[in-house]
């Protein structure tokens, strides 16, 4: 029997042969979807526990919005927002990821028990590789063209799938050179991060092209503008589109989906798994001949 693919995160492992759900916990006041609702520390902690109860495998805590046009946050403010939330969730045994681009924040949350760093800059900031390498935490390396403030102004690629794959391959190599083993690495094409609708759809349809990198692929499509463009729905009405997008991503090889709506996504994935026989130990009896 072959061993299932395992992601190593914070001294633990997650079998990623079945699709996994990462639930989003924002502590920001200007996130594009649920910012403002969960900004108080105790509310963010309660939201994290609720997402775990709904079936999230990982919770992703963020203290700086990366939505298009978002303003940067200073290190002390980001620390004040995320550290207490990470501490509470990690102490309770949750697999906690932290969405940050700053090495100082990475070091602080890794000390508090975070199991993963989710970096939209793919550990390219000075000191980021060094912050993560000596730990046992996993890292999600995301592709972004430009900066959050301006990235949607005029995204341009000759071949978006090849360029994103090339970038991620280089970042995986940089991580390995810095001492971050492949088993600790996840890659993400970064839907909506310096991409038009056409770029996002090309990446979604060809998500399996990232499999050659030999590490799990994470997809974050939940509530994003591209779903608004496709459906005509405002952000608060994009639940169905978000669940559909998560299923399409899994169909094209995503191992982890990053979502706001954990319960709905978990239910949809249960049906997907049963309906595709994805992880059946033995085949069901077929139709008689
Ligand atoms: C923080 N954040 C917002 N969207 C994201 C996405 O699509 N992927 C990852 N890894 N992080 C995201």
């Amino acid at each position: 029997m072959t061993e299932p693919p395992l992601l190593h995160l914070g001294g633990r492992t997650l079998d990623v042969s079945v699709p996994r759900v990462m639930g989003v916990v924002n502590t920001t006041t200007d996130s594009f979807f649920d910012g403002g609702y969960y900004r108080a520390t105790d509310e963010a902690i309660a939201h994290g526990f609720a997402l775990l109860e709904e079936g999230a495998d990982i919770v992703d805590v963020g203290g700086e919005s990366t939505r298009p046009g978002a303003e940067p946050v200073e290190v002390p403010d980001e620390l004040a927002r995320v550290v207490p939330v990470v501490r509470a969730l990690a102490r309770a045994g949750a697999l906690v990821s932290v969405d940050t681009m700053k090495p100082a924040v990475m070091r602080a949350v890794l000390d508090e028990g975070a199991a993963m760093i989710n970096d939209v800059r793919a550990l390219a900031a000075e000191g980021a590789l060094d912050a993560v390498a000596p730990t046992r935490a996993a890292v999600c390396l995301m592709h972004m063209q430009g900066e959050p403030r301006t990235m949607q102004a005029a995204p341009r690629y000759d071949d978006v799938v090849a360029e994103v794959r090339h970038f991620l391959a280089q970042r995986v190599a940089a991580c390995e050179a810095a001492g971050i083993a492949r088993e600790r690495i996840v890659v993400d094409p970064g839907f909506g991060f310096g991409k038009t609708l056409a770029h996002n759809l090309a990446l979604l349809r060809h998500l399996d092209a990232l499999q050659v990198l030999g590490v799990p692929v994470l997809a974050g499509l939940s509530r994003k503008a591209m779903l608004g463009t496709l459906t005509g729905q405002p952000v608060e009405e994009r639940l169905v589109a978000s669940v559909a997008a998560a299923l399409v991503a899994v169909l094209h090889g995503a191992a982890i989906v990053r979502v706001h709506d954990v319960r709905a996504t978990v239910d949809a994935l249960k049906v997907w798994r049963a309906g595709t026989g994805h992880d059946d130990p033995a085949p069901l009896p077929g139709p008689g001949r």
Side-chain angles (χ1 to χ4, degrees):
M1 214 169 89
T2 54
E3 293 299 314
L6 296 178
L7 175 66
H8 291 235
L9 62 181
R12 292 155 68 184
T13 56
L14 190 65
D15 172 0
V16 285
S17 65
V18 291
R20 298 294 180 174
V21 174
M22 172 187 270
V24 179
V25 180
N26 279 320
T27 62
T28 53
T29 52
D30 64 347
S31 164
F32 78 102
F33 174 46
D34 55 359
Y37 295 115
Y38 299 109
R39 63 183 166 178
T41 301
D42 49 354
E43 283 178 64
I45 294 169
H47 185 56
F49 282 120
L51 296 186
L52 292 164
E53 192 68 33
E54 291 177 17
D57 300 289
I58 304 171
V59 282
D60 190 38
V61 179
E64 177 177 28
S65 174
T66 50
R67 70 172 169 75
E71 291 299 329
V73 171
E74 297 298 322
V75 169
D77 293 336
E78 193 175 332
L79 287 173
R81 292 176 190 183
V82 297
V83 165
V85 181
V86 172
R87 184 180 297 144
L89 294 169
R91 281 190 185 168
L95 285 175
V96 181
S97 162
V98 178
D99 152 27
T100 185
M101 328 176 208
K102 300 191 188 78
V105 177
M106 293 174 191
R107 285 192 299 273
V109 297
L110 290 168
D111 277 351
E112 293 290 347
M116 183 171 188
I117 296 296
N118 172 26
D119 185 2
V120 301
R121 287 186 207 277
L123 299 189
E126 173 96 47
L129 285 167
D130 292 340
V132 177
T135 72
R136 295 202 286 175
V139 61
C140 177
L141 305 171
M142 202 197 77
H143 175 274
M144 168 168 65
Q145 187 181 83
E147 298 288 313
R149 216 162 43 78
T150 52
M151 65 192 174
Q152 288 306 102
R156 207 190 155 276
Y157 301 84
D158 291 323
D159 178 338
V160 67
V161 176
E163 288 171 44
V164 167
R165 183 177 51 202
H166 178 70
F167 169 84
L168 292 173
Q170 285 186 323
R171 296 313 301 158
V172 169
C175 282
E176 286 193 288
I180 303 175
R182 209 156 252 276
E183 294 72 29
R184 293 168 57 195
I185 302 175
V186 172
V187 292
D188 180 341
F191 291 103
F193 284 81
K195 283 136 192 136
T196 63
L197 177 63
H199 297 141
N200 287 321
L201 290 177
L203 286 165
L204 184 57
R205 290 177 196 175
H206 299 286
L207 201 57
D208 52 1
L210 299 182
Q211 304 283 349
V212 294
L213 302 175
V215 296
V217 174
L218 184 149
L221 293 142
S222 180
R223 304 269 173 174
K224 285 194 176 169
M226 65 179 278
L227 303 181
T229 309
L230 291 173
T231 61
Q233 298 289 359
V235 67
E236 60 279 4
E237 299 295 336
R238 294 180 197 154
L239 167 63
V240 175
S242 297
V243 173
L247 287 182
V248 175
V250 166
L251 193 68
H252 288 294
I256 305 173
V257 284
R258 182 180 182 275
V259 304
H260 298 86
D261 307 287
V262 169
R263 190 190 305 279
T265 309
V266 167
D267 282 356
L269 287 173
K270 282 181 185 162
V271 175
W272 179 84
R273 283 168 63 174
T276 56
H278 185 72
D279 47 1
D280 278 358
L284 291 175
R289 286 183 188 269

